[in-house]
Amino acid sequence: MRDHPMNSLGFAKPPADTRVVVAMSGGVDSSVVAAMLAEEGYDVVGVTLQLYDHGAALAKKGACCAGRDIHDARRVAETMGFPHYVLDYENTFREAVIEEFADAYLAGATPVPCIRCNERVKFKDLLATARDLNADCMATGHYIQRKMGAAPELHQATDANRDQSYFLFSTTAEQLDFLRFPLGHLASKAETRALAAKYGLPVADKPDSQDICFVPNGNYAAVIEKLRPGAADPGEIVDMAGNVLGAHRGVIHYTIGQRKGLGIGGLGEPLYVVRLDPETRRVIVGPKEALSTRKVALREINWLGDEAFDSRAEWHLNVKVRSTRPPRPAVIRPLSATEAEVELLDPEDGVSAGQACVFYAPEGSRIFGGGWIWRGRN
């Protein structure tokens, strides 16, 4: 057995003797991963997490697309002939993701719950379940690459438009050892859909989900109001000196960097939301330059470099401070193994507490981890 060549998942044994748990969301990406590995002859076990009940989250009937996704994942498993399990993670998800999302949003931060879900649910509890099932590894439909260096490394997806590295920066070295991402090398989403059609999967034409799973139609305010009654209380719009310029209908309706819809036009220069103060129920506005951030404080850093993070006084890497921005040059100065100050060589607008700052190699595709922004300044 020891002489067996390495299989496609990196194990020196036949696919049939390699058990892989596939995290199946019911979408086309994870369905293709499961089908591809099943066709290659792996011992595939599909697992879908029930994370929330849309009907309960929105207090209305007929909003449950979570049930649809579970149904779709099960149909894929039946089509390809492998076992499929549904695990109820609603309580875990509420405690580890939804509650923090609501608190962070009300504190004026811009939370990214998908990262916390990967970190605290999918790559923690689900990964532990995969080990309990005696799996050799766990595969997901994320667009990111795992490459072998001295140890497993995290790399951006081949298709820059699909790359999900920003949402996976908190994947630890130990988790990376166990995870596999079979779609990361594909050139486009069209290739994934072509594979789904080839395997005859019922989800081949299913549209991509655009929203955070528990925030249908992108309506954050409605969800926060349900989770935190009173969060939509009206208050004052003030300038940076504290002068009252107008009234607002609840801080949850505003985001850092917002210019339109403030209802305070005709004051000369354009004004932007530069800060939210939920305790005094104030929306603070100022000129565009007040949004500009050069230094960012990070904590909860997950480092994926080959040497210890705090072994150097500074790291010269590229960083992304929002999922939609390209990586930009920065100097990262460690304060400890998990905290740092980042100096952006070109200031960025609208940097917000609660977002992630992800570290990228200046050249090439490698990701060096990242941390959570808790403060930004000029």
Side-chain angles (χ1 to χ4, degrees):
M1 184 65 82
R2 192 174 296 164
D3 299 331
H4 196 280
M6 207 69 91
N7 64 32
S8 65
L9 292 176
F11 298 97
K13 54 185 178 179
D17 296 337
T18 306
R19 175 167 290 177
V20 51
V21 163
V22 180
M24 298 182 70
S25 67
V28 67
D29 298 325
S30 54
S31 298
V32 164
V33 166
M36 185 192 299
L37 295 174
E39 194 185 61
E40 284 182 40
Y42 286 98
D43 177 10
V44 171
V45 179
V47 175
T48 300
L49 302 183
Q50 172 142 359
L51 297 177
Y52 59 94
D53 174 345
H54 256 134
L58 298 175
K60 69 178 187 195
K61 292 194 176 79
C64 185
C65 68
R68 165 98 249 162
D69 289 338
I70 289 168
H71 172 73
D72 286 345
R74 187 176 288 130
R75 283 171 68 212
V76 168
E78 284 169 6
T79 302
M80 298 303 296
F82 58 81
H84 174 255
Y85 301 100
V86 179
L87 303 180
D88 182 353
Y89 275 46
E90 278 194 46
N91 289 341
T92 307
F93 187 69
R94 191 179 308 114
E95 289 162 17
V97 180
I98 295 184
E99 293 296 327
E100 184 188 67
F101 166 83
D103 290 341
Y105 202 85
L106 288 180
T110 306
V112 194
C114 306
I115 299 177
R116 288 301 197 194
C117 182
N118 289 329
E119 175 187 321
R120 296 176 172 174
V121 182
K122 291 179 186 164
F123 291 175
K124 183 169 170 261
D125 296 349
L126 178 55
L127 206 128
T129 300
R131 291 187 194 278
D132 290 343
L133 290 169
N134 295 317
D136 293 284
C137 63
M138 183 170 101
T140 79
H142 289 106
Y143 286 86
I144 195 163
Q145 297 189 80
R146 173 190 184 274
K147 296 185 178 181
M148 285 305 296
E153 298 173 356
L154 203 59
H155 286 255
Q156 289 170 273
T158 298
D159 179 1
N161 294 321
R162 309 292 312 178
D163 176 63
Q164 289 174 292
S165 56
Y166 184 84
F167 302 99
L168 294 166
F169 84 85
S170 62
T171 308
T172 65
E174 184 192 9
Q175 290 166 346
L176 201 50
D177 206 41
F178 194 69
L179 286 163
R180 301 294 186 273
F181 308 107
L183 301 184
H185 68 286
L186 296 184
S188 71
K189 179 72 179 221
E191 277 192 51
T192 309
R193 291 201 181 276
L195 286 168
K198 175 186 142 188
Y199 298 129
L201 301 185
V203 294
D205 299 320
K206 186 173 178 177
D208 290 348
S209 56
Q210 300 297 333
D211 299 317
I212 292 168
C213 68
F214 60 91
V215 187
N217 309 321
N219 189 348
Y220 288 61
V223 172
I224 302 285
E225 278 184 69
K226 286 274 185 300
L227 293 167
R228 299 286 183 272
D233 292 348
E236 297 170 336
I237 298 177
V238 301
D239 64 18
M240 296 175 75
N243 300 309
V244 178
L245 304 179
H248 66 75
R249 55 199 178 90
V251 292
I252 59 168
H253 297 289
Y254 300 86
T255 54
I256 307 286
Q258 180 177 336
R259 178 186 166 191
K260 293 190 168 66
L262 300 179
I264 50 168
L267 293 170
E269 66 174 337
L271 294 172
Y272 299 78
V273 176
V274 296
R275 210 168 76 248
L276 299 171
D277 188 342
E279 294 197 0
T280 61
R281 298 208 306 276
R282 283 183 150 189
V283 171
I284 297 99
V285 296
K288 189 165 175 45
E289 54 268 24
L291 281 171
S292 193
T293 302
R294 182 175 287 280
K295 296 201 169 165
V296 183
L298 301 186
R299 53 189 172 195
E300 287 186 72
I301 286 171
N302 177 53
W303 177 247
L304 294 173
D306 301 325
E307 317 159 40
F309 179 58
D310 50 3
S311 65
R312 295 191 193 179
E314 52 184 51
W315 297 89
H316 292 254
L317 296 169
N318 287 354
V319 304
K320 223 183 203 195
V321 289
R322 286 172 103 138
S323 62
T324 52
R325 303 261 173 103
R328 306 262 181 84
V331 179
I332 301 158
R333 298 185 178 92
L335 302 173
S336 69
T338 58
E339 294 186 24
E341 182 173 83
V342 176
E343 183 176 350
L344 306 169
L345 300 191
D346 294 312
E348 291 253 16
D349 286 351
V351 175
S352 174
Q355 290 177 325
C357 174
V358 181
F359 309 153
Y360 295 84
E363 292 173 3
S365 58
R366 189 171 175 188
I367 296 133
F368 284 87
W372 291 94
I373 298 168
W374 65 281
R375 203 161 35 80
R377 56 192 169 85
N378 293 28

